[in-house]
Amino acid sequence: MAGSAAQRGFWASRFGFILAAAGSAVGLGNIWKFPYVTGNNGGGLFVVIYLICVVAVGLPIMNAEILVGRTTARSPVPAFGELAGRRSPWVGTGWLGALAGFVILSFYSVVAGWAVYYAFVSITQGFGSGTAAELAQVKTLFAGLIKKPSLNLVLHGVFMTATVAVVIGGVQAGIERWSRILMPTLFTMLIGLAIYAMTLPGAGAALDFMFGLHTEQLQPAGFLEAMGQAFFSLSLGMGAMLTYGSYLPKDTSVFKSALYVAGLDTFVALISSVVIFPVTFSYGIEPSAGPGLVFQSLPMAFSQMPGGRVLASLFFSLLVFAALTSSISLLEVVASTFIDLYGWTRKQAVVLMGLVTFVVGVPSALSFSVPAFGERFKGLVGKSFFDSMDDLSANWMLPLGGLLIAVYVGFFMESSRRQKEFEEGTPPWAYPPWLALLRFISPIAVALVMLKSTGVLKLLGIAS
Ligand code: TRP
């Protein structure tokens, strides 16, 4: 049974929608991944390319997703069913999204579990006071954590349970209320940490690294990497924004909402870097430390700085909050698909899908400790189970989903309906540029990401 709009929850306000959607977008992708990818790509110029990707590719697709959601008031599968016809192959776009939700959440929860662990450690015991012996201990903390199978399963389970608990509460009572509390806390914490970071000796070098245009460091692959990061960070390509948009009242501007969400997401990515790079530059830590950038290097830095224990507790609590407001959007997409399609109760759908996602995530949680999912899996497939899930979703499912959404809304959606819906709440001048970007810029850029993944560009000698 397809739920009608009247049976569904609605956001209490546009502010509630923006907080929740920004909560989905702002997560580990901003705080953990963006600084690290920026570090690997030489800083400044990569940041500029990323910003262009957000505006030229991310924003048009986000508009398309929210528009389809608000228009149909359905989750992805029935949304495409309503627009294109139940038997249309476009419905597959919705299923791809729900599947991507499973895949992303299964490993996302593992990383979030590490954040839970670091929050717990920083609150209960801290990272010492910077003595050589303590620093040596802090340095091995991450390697020790990922090598413990049962601890990783417990942390993964704790985080999934928290996600399930929030999503069971439903759109308004659960997601919107939590986002209202968590998001402003997050922004306040980040700004405070950024102000602190500006007082560090490495602040100047960090700002130059991030915002100085070091053209000599431009790599051909930089544009494509920036593109993929924009997709992941903005929660695009799997119907998360579509689903949140389906709870958006008709009189709310799709365009303005998307602008706020993308703006907040970009702000958090940038300010996270403003927090992290001064720390790495001040304490002699490599900006390209990867997964260790947050989980290894920062605790070492916190250990050496005055007030470090309080700051570490704030930072890792904040990381858990950010991950939770993202994970609830992933589970919401999966659960609402089953609520809308099969008439399951919210509780049934959320608990069952949460359980399935936990099970699918078990090999990811064990990828660093059990050879069958780590080294031996790598021998067979080329990547650990954890890395395979990351690769499958980020390099294949999200770009494909985004491409399909852009092409459907740009070329196949009934044009009068598309225009009427877009202009509801939005000034008409915004329609032509949006449509042009959606038809011709977004799909081409996304196709480039996918061609890079298949190695076609490498064959043609276009990218390294
Ligand atoms: N955007 C989130 C982050 O940056 C992750 C995320 C949540 C996501 N929901 C998504 C990514 C949907 C892609 C699609 O951490």
Side-chain angles (χ1 to χ4, degrees), residues 57 59-68 71 80 83-84 90 93 242 401-419 422 431-444:
V57 179
L59 261 180
I61 293 182
M62 187 179 289
N63 271 279
E65 279 204 29
I66 300 175
L67 182 90
V68 169
T71 304
F80 281 98
L83 289 178
W90 288 107
T93 311
L242 191 158
L403 181 68
L404 291 173
I405 290 165
V407 169
Y408 179 76
V409 176
F411 293 101
F412 291 89
M413 189 175 170
E414 192 196 322
S415 64
S416 57
R417 183 171 184 186
R418 179 182 58 217
Q419 180 162 9
F422 183 87
Y431 183 73
W434 168 65
L435 193 60
L437 287 171
L438 188 70
R439 282 183 163 173
F440 303 113
I441 303 299
S442 312
I444 290 168

Side-chain angles (χ1 to χ4, degrees), residues 212-387:
L213 293 183
H214 309 286
T215 43
E216 74 281 1
Q217 281 162 342
L218 176 64
Q219 299 288 322
F223 177 82
L224 297 169
E225 266 198 62
M227 169 77 240
Q229 172 62 19
F231 251 92
F232 189 83
S233 189
L234 294 169
S235 294
L236 294 177
M238 60 149 282
M241 288 299 156
L242 191 158
T243 303
Y244 274 20
S246 75
Y247 305 115
L248 195 61
K250 290 271 183 204
D251 55 358
T252 311
S253 169
V254 166
F255 183 71
K256 254 195 249 168
S257 303
L259 217 54
Y260 277 115
V261 173
L264 281 173
D265 185 73
T266 306
F267 172 74
V268 173
L270 292 176
I271 203 152
S272 298
S273 306
V274 171
V275 173
I276 286 168
F277 284 123
V279 174
T280 64
F281 277 88
S282 299
Y283 293 91
I285 295 153
E286 279 303 312
S288 55
L293 188 66
V294 167
F295 294 115
Q296 268 176 294
S297 310
L298 280 191
M300 285 184 73
F302 284 134
S303 177
Q304 296 178 69
M305 66 175 75
R309 175 154 174 202
V310 174
L311 289 167
S313 303
L314 283 176
F315 186 85
F316 287 108
S317 304
L318 172 162
L319 196 59
V320 174
F321 288 167
L324 188 63
T325 54
S326 297
S327 65
I328 58 183
S329 76
L330 292 161
L331 188 57
E332 174 69 17
V333 172
V334 178
S336 63
T337 300
F338 288 89
I339 295 170
D340 283 357
L341 275 186
Y342 303 115
W344 294 10
T345 67
R346 173 164 280 271
K347 201 168 172 183
Q348 281 171 338
V350 173
V351 170
L352 198 72
M353 291 305 121
L355 214 62
V356 173
T357 311
F358 173 78
V359 173
V360 174
V362 165
S364 288
L366 301 180
S367 279
F368 306 88
S369 53
V370 176
F373 303 121
E375 280 310 306
R376 238 180 294 149
F377 198 89
K378 193 174 173 182
L380 288 173
V381 181
K383 283 183 166 74
S384 72
F385 190 90
F386 179 94
D387 288 338

